[in-house]
Amino acid sequence: MRPQRIRFEDPLALASGAELAGYELVYETYGTLNARRSNAVLICHALNASHHVAGWYADQPDNVGWWDNMVGPGKPVDTNRFFVIGVNNLGSCFGSTGPMSENPLTGRRYGPDFPVVTVEDWVHAQARLADALGIERFAAVMGGSLGGMQALAWSILYPDRVAHCLTIASTPKLSAQNIAFNEVARRAIITDPEFHGGRFYEHGVVPRRGLQVARMIGHITYQSDDTMAERFGRALKRGDYGFSFDVEFEIESYLRYQAEKFSAYFDANTYLLITRALDYFDPSLNCGGDLAAALAPATADFFVASFTTDWRFSPQRSREIVQALLRNRCDVSYAEIEAPHGHDAFLLDDAQYHALVRAYFDRIAARVAAAEAPDAASGASGASGAAGGAAGGTPGASDAPAAASTAGAA
């Protein structure tokens, strides 16, 4: 498998009023596109994930896709039946145009000059990729957490291009508490002396301390209290108090390990951009706070799922989405799943959760097959790619660097 890169020269108008005058998107594909191009599924990624949804690279067998337990041959999103696309969003640090890219106006990296982007901006860019791949309508758009917000935005912005929308462990907008968590994380980065106003690349440094604190804050919100208690409790590293401020509890050691790993691969400017995109997402803003009115354009069928111990995006937030959809008489399936793992449950291999997703995609596959039946005798074949194998090629696309293995929510 190799990720693909595609360049767009037409400027992309952004919600901020700024314009991105040419940009690249990195993406991967898995499975085979059918003759009618009707079995495509778009997977939208969360905060620190990427286009590398499933499978692995031949030269990096340990670099497994962030949702590999969900997507692949015989898995809930079965690439024997669906053509799955994972795309790295603008502003990210895994190959698509972002703060680490060269600004054509200056010849230097964008850094803090990269424009602020929104969930809606990402969706418009993804729609251009769909156009380039010849996909007029997705069988499904799916995502968890921030990815679920993108799926929801797709259903509003491009209602005729989405047959099914799956939003998992997500929310129609952030609460004040969630915005507060993001602000504390951003301040940790911005006040790191090595940040240099976002131009740390030019100084040959990385604001590691700020990134590490940001990651620790985020990681705490992705876990449930029960999970932390069961895994760590109050266990000590050395069996007794050291009467110091060094690592003494196992949970401290774990958080520092996760933080150090994160700061080695993630870009600080990207963290600022993506958390701000999270803050800004609120489709009801221009509808007087009426979510049903905001969702009125949607014609897709919906699958909404939440997890009982997720306190970052609690089940109540998913129920708000469901209630708005029901007011609009949309077809919606809702699952509130008993799971102990908190927000990160959407990334984990939970039997009940996966069974529900599998059943929903069985339903989608049946509809796709029914529509495909008249063309079955034609023998037409589509484009192809394979999870764990070769990615589908696209005319005009080029190989892109492999993404780092990533996991995490929000």
Side-chain angles (χ1 to χ4, degrees):
M1 169 191 302
R2 296 301 306 173
Q4 302 291 306
R5 181 188 301 275
I6 187 167
R7 181 164 183 82
F8 297 88
E9 296 297 346
D10 290 341
L12 180 68
L14 304 176
S16 66
E19 190 175 80
L20 206 53
Y23 57 92
E24 295 181 340
L25 294 177
V26 173
Y27 67 97
E28 290 182 5
T29 65
Y30 318 84
T32 300
L33 189 62
N34 65 17
R36 293 170 64 93
R37 297 178 177 266
S38 62
N39 68 330
V41 175
L42 177 65
I43 301 291
C44 304
H45 70 74
L47 192 155
N48 65 307
S50 71
H51 54 279
H52 185 39
V53 176
W56 59 91
Y57 304 126
D59 58 345
Q60 299 176 42
D62 294 331
N63 188 358
V64 179
W66 59 269
W67 223 356
D68 187 71
N69 60 17
M70 180 68 76
V71 176
K75 294 177 183 179
V77 185
D78 188 351
T79 52
N80 290 327
R81 301 190 293 184
F82 295 101
F83 180 69
V84 177
I85 303 166
V87 57
N88 186 219
N89 285 327
L90 291 171
S92 184
C93 52
F94 298 116
S96 293
T97 300
M100 296 178 70
S101 306
E102 181 180 299
N103 182 344
L105 298 179
T106 65
R108 303 183 302 174
R109 291 185 176 187
Y110 276 101
D113 297 329
F114 193 84
V116 172
V117 288
T118 66
V119 167
E120 290 79 9
D121 293 331
W122 290 333
V123 169
H124 291 314
Q126 292 162 6
R128 288 190 177 184
L129 175 62
D131 292 341
L133 296 175
I135 297 166
E136 295 182 3
R137 191 170 192 245
F138 284 106
V141 178
M142 175 183 185
S145 191
L146 174 57
M149 297 178 189
Q150 294 165 64
L152 205 61
W154 259 97
S155 75
I156 298 169
L157 297 172
Y158 296 96
D160 295 336
R161 302 190 69 172
V162 184
H164 300 84
C165 174
L166 292 88
T167 178
I168 301 169
S170 196
T171 178
K173 61 185 175 185
L174 292 197
S175 65
Q177 183 187 57
N178 271 290
I179 295 171
F181 282 128
N182 287 343
E183 171 60 6
V184 173
R186 285 192 295 265
R187 294 308 300 170
I189 292 170
I190 291 170
T191 58
D192 186 319
E194 302 289 14
F195 184 64
H196 295 286
R199 302 195 186 280
F200 51 90
Y201 317 111
E202 299 166 20
H203 295 264
V205 296
V206 174
R208 293 187 187 279
R209 285 172 289 179
L211 269 170
Q212 288 170 10
V213 172
R215 179 56 175 170
M216 286 193 281
I217 293 166
H219 205 74
I220 292 167
T221 70
Y222 305 150
Q223 308 288 312
S224 72
D225 185 43
D226 289 346
T227 295
M228 282 194 172
E230 180 179 350
R231 184 171 181 182
F232 304 107
R234 290 180 53 82
L236 294 164
K237 289 275 300 174
R238 298 173 184 82
D240 202 356
Y241 295 151
F243 297 96
S244 74
F245 297 106
D246 199 359
V247 171
E248 295 197 30
F249 292 90
E250 289 285 358
I251 184 59
E252 294 175 318
S253 177
Y254 172 75
L255 286 174
R256 291 201 193 185
Y257 168 76
Q258 292 293 333
E260 289 169 6
K261 184 171 68 171
F262 182 75
S263 68
Y265 72 81
F266 208 78
D267 178 66
N269 284 314
T270 289
Y271 197 96
L272 302 183
L273 283 170
I274 295 182
T275 55
R276 185 55 93 192
L278 273 161
D279 294 348
Y280 281 169
F281 182 71
D282 180 5
S284 71
L285 182 64
N286 294 323
C287 297
D290 186 340
L291 183 59
L295 286 166
T299 59
D301 289 354
F302 286 81
F303 175 91
V304 181
S306 64
F307 299 91
T308 53
T309 57
D310 182 357
W311 59 277
R312 181 86 195 241
F313 296 157
S314 70
Q316 176 57 36
R317 307 315 307 280
S318 288
R319 290 196 292 269
E320 290 175 32
I321 298 171
V322 172
Q323 289 160 4
L325 292 170
L326 291 175
R327 282 178 57 194
N328 292 344
R329 299 186 181 279
C330 292
D331 185 314
V332 55
S333 300
Y334 175 59
E336 192 167 306
I337 301 163
E338 290 277 353
H341 305 107
H343 188 57
D344 265 353
F346 84 90
L347 293 167
L348 303 179
D349 192 354
D350 179 273
Q352 180 189 11
Y353 164 42
H354 279 200
L356 290 166
V357 174
R358 183 185 299 276
Y360 197 77
F361 271 94
D362 285 345
R363 170 181 167 182
I364 298 173
R367 291 179 174 179
V368 169
E372 183 77 2
D375 293 340
S378 68
S381 61
S384 66
T394 302
S398 60
D399 282 349
S405 178
T406 59

